[in-house]
Amino acid sequence: MSHQTLTIFKELVKKINEYNEALSILFWDLRTGAPKKGVEGRSEVIGMLSTEQFNLSTSQQMGDCLSQLSETSVFESLNQTEQRMVTEHKKDYDRNKKIPVNLYKENVILTSKSESVWEEAKDQSDFSIFQPYLEKVVELKKKFVEYWGVKGTPYDTLLDIYEPNITASQLDQVFGMLRERLVPLVTQIAESTNKPNTTFLHQSFSEEKQREFSLFVLKEIGYDFAAGRLDKAVHPFMINLNLKDVRITTNYYPDDITFSLFSSLHEGGHALYEQNISAELVGTGLCTGASMGIHESQSRFWENMIGRSLPFWKRYYKNLQEVFPNEFSSVSVEDFYRGTNEAKPSLIRIEADELTYNLHVMIRYELEKALFNEDLKVADLPQAWNEKYTEYLGVTPAHDGEGVLQDVHWSGGDFGYFPSYSLGNIYAAQFMNTIQKQLPEFDTYIENGELLPIKQWLSDQIYQYGKLLTPAEIIKQVTNEEINPEYLIAYLEKKFKDIYQI
Amino acid sequence: MSHQTLTIFKELVKKINEYNEALSILFWDLRTGAPKKGVEGRSEVIGMLSTEQFNLSTSQQMGDCLSQLSETSVFESLNQTEQRMVTEHKKDYDRNKKIPVNLYKENVILTSKSESVWEEAKDQSDFSIFQPYLEKVVELKKKFVEYWGVKGTPYDTLLDIYEPNITASQLDQVFGMLRERLVPLVTQIAESTNKPNTTFLHQSFSEEKQREFSLFVLKEIGYDFAAGRLDKAVHPFMINLNLKDVRITTNYYPDDITFSLFSSLHEGGHALYEQNISAELVGTGLCTGASMGIHESQSRFWENMIGRSLPFWKRYYKNLQEVFPNEFSSVSVEDFYRGTNEAKPSLIRIEADELTYNLHVMIRYELEKALFNEDLKVADLPQAWNEKYTEYLGVTPAHDGEGVLQDVHWSGGDFGYFPSYSLGNIYAAQFMNTIQKQLPEFDTYIENGELLPIKQWLSDQIYQYGKLLTPAEIIKQVTNEEINPEYLIAYLEKKFKDIYQI
């Protein structure tokens, strides 16, 4: 290999990243207030830039660079970052090149149509409208899996897109443990007579004051506003434009203080990760989170394990009371803590609490696996869905709008994505177990509002590496274990048995 | 020519436009609140996209298309829009291709450095720091003019960039008339004892209420908020992302109601133009204003001729009083009108009033012309500047910071731009003369708050054409005359003699 190949490869990667930043800001703008009449014209620009970027990623030049740089003797002469760059880009390149162009186009057209049909079907709570499209989406995805190559099982190939190297067999074990221990806990809680009061969470809260408090807590956790900003969007998200421009959004519900508060902490957690990656990874394609699961571990850690903990509110409840004196002066910190941790079997995943959320994810995992690895038919999804909700959560959807039609993911062909949410919770609990050993003052830090040492620990152990390490490498390096759901289960049992006095 | 050439050309143009939209949103974002630490990374993205766009505009393919489409027999077979597309893009292509690449790069580096040196020189009010850089900028621009080819005089070549086909000889006549008639008027006003009261304009005005009133007047003039938005920026601007996404910005001074009000109307005027171009011109490169001067005529028309008129305030003053009841309840509409039209010789162009503004521009015009067509040395600029301010405006800068160093334009090599500002005023008065003949109820419309017929007239006569017509063609078609400063002079004389009771 000539030294030039590496240079050309790095320049290609840098340019692909720059297209990414341009696309990201167009996306951010669309979600935070772009005038609605301009959206049609905007789509053309997004289409053009995406095509340019895709063409670069799949160019002959990229292919040549990757094949030269992947030769064993050459690969071994590269440093760690370069090796990871080659591995990651080769994976994407292969994934893209293996699909015939006409199937790609068919997929773009199909999923775009399928998403709008899903919306209509959801509005009308009528699965039959969506069914023929979902059947085609599943069928096409199965073809993709064939082209990509089956890793273990067909569903493993899909899981690998979002959480590299995780397998259905690992997840069977993980979700098996969750099911075994959490389903009885949820039942006990449902039967408990000692339920938290939540009425005070639903008063009238002005948007301006909600925003003020969100800004305050984000500063406290160490989000850098000189390298980010907080805006309003219907569905909150974090977006990394570049290492020093990591933006978050939230939404304000006039009659629910919890939404803006916990979504700010959730997106803030994602953002802390992205803001604290090593500057050496800028432009390498590795300057982002290691995987969906590891990313979600950070949003969940800050939202739930910090933000919904008693030590956190022992320190910050007085600040909330200052912003909303009339609303909270007669509510004790313990009641506030218990209220924000109400756990209740429900039908809708995105409204679920920290505990039952995992069961919602488990149901989707089991159904996806059955679609791709077993013989579940799309036509039988609604019934299978309803049966699992009844069995695991004790609630049954009255119609498909609050059942199988509630999530957008499947309409776009995003199978294999859902497990990341629970993997995030599992990883977060593993990290917390480690941090509590290494920083024995963990709870005291939180009670004193000293959150920066915690952010620093996470930066040193996780954030700085970005995508330089795989999820499995990070888990192993930080916790000295493999993925292990035991910590999440123990954490949830302790927390919720305490709250519900079971 | 094959039919294919035209198709390829149109696709190239469309793609160049799409890069423009991406670049524009990056620019808008930088000016409206991008986190400051992210700016460095952002510059790389802007650089990459600009290069891609420049490479497309100057590509062999573009050159081949243009040379084929410019052949007489082919050109004559094109429709009007296609002909203008070819003419405009050929002009740009030639302008870009005639400069050797190394001189381009030299210019980019020099002007970037020069702008930061200018900033320092301005801060220290010391021209000697800036002088060596400005000398190089002028010298390099003279080389550019040689490569581009001298049209009439060297300065004409520069004027043509901003206002196609305008010449120094025309401007000598235009500015000669302005000088002859406006300088004495300014002197008379300075000596008048009947000066307006302006103290009530400088009270304490909350940003929120200023914004509320800006939104109100923008809606009244017909700015479409479903195809635009109003944000805050240090230096207000309008930016056209696409035909249905035309954004404006303003700024709020806590102790001056006039700034946000009139800058909103100014940028709103620019935006009305861009929002009302024919949809048929989307993606042709002609979906924008005809020239700097014509564009400025619309911002000035809405800001000054509508927004600073007595009929306007007879209708809308009560709305301002509703927003600021304490501030304006004891101020009469006539006093408010006179206050907002104070005319006073001053040193700083961007703070100048409607009348004296033209003299500021005239001074810059005369100095630029002397630099490029005569033998004025850069070293002699400060003295020449000060003499002209004393002669035309009766005020003399105490230092170069409030004199020759006040504007950024020259540091970036933007010679020939300044005259557009006064051309805008001149065109606006010509258009107003015509509209008053064709809509005899003009003043009554304004007094009744019926501004939409005026917007409609301007759309029909000017806006819809975008860049399909040249500035000269538009003036001729609308007013049946050439450029004629007489209407501006008459308008200013009548308005200010009335206000100052001369």
Side-chain angles (χ1 to χ4, degrees), chain A residues 223-229 243-247 275, chain B residues 35 37-38:
Chain A
Y223 176 75
D224 181 357
F225 277 95
R229 50 184 285 170
L243 178 61
K244 295 296 166 204
D245 189 349
V246 180
R247 304 183 183 187
Q275 281 187 337
Chain B
K37 289 186 185 172

Side-chain angles (χ1 to χ4, degrees), chain A residues 14-15 18-19 21 25 29 33 35 37-38 42 44-45 48 52 224 226 228-229 242 244-245 247, chain B residues 14-15 18-19 21 25 29 33 35 37-38 42 44-45 48 52 224 226 228-229 242 244-245 247:
Chain A
K14 182 167 177 284
K15 197 165 172 182
E18 286 161 356
Y19 273 110
E21 181 166 346
I25 197 148
D29 183 67
K37 289 185 185 172
R42 177 65 48 80
E44 302 270 315
V45 180
M48 186 278 283
E52 291 294 310
D224 181 357
R229 50 184 285 170
N242 65 49
K244 295 296 166 204
D245 189 349
R247 304 183 183 187
Chain B
K14 181 167 179 283
K15 197 165 172 181
E18 286 163 354
Y19 273 110
E21 180 165 346
I25 198 147
D29 182 66
K37 289 186 185 172
R42 178 65 49 81
E44 302 269 315
V45 180
M48 185 278 283
E52 291 293 310
D224 181 357
R229 49 183 284 168
N242 64 48
K244 295 296 167 203
D245 188 349
R247 302 182 185 189

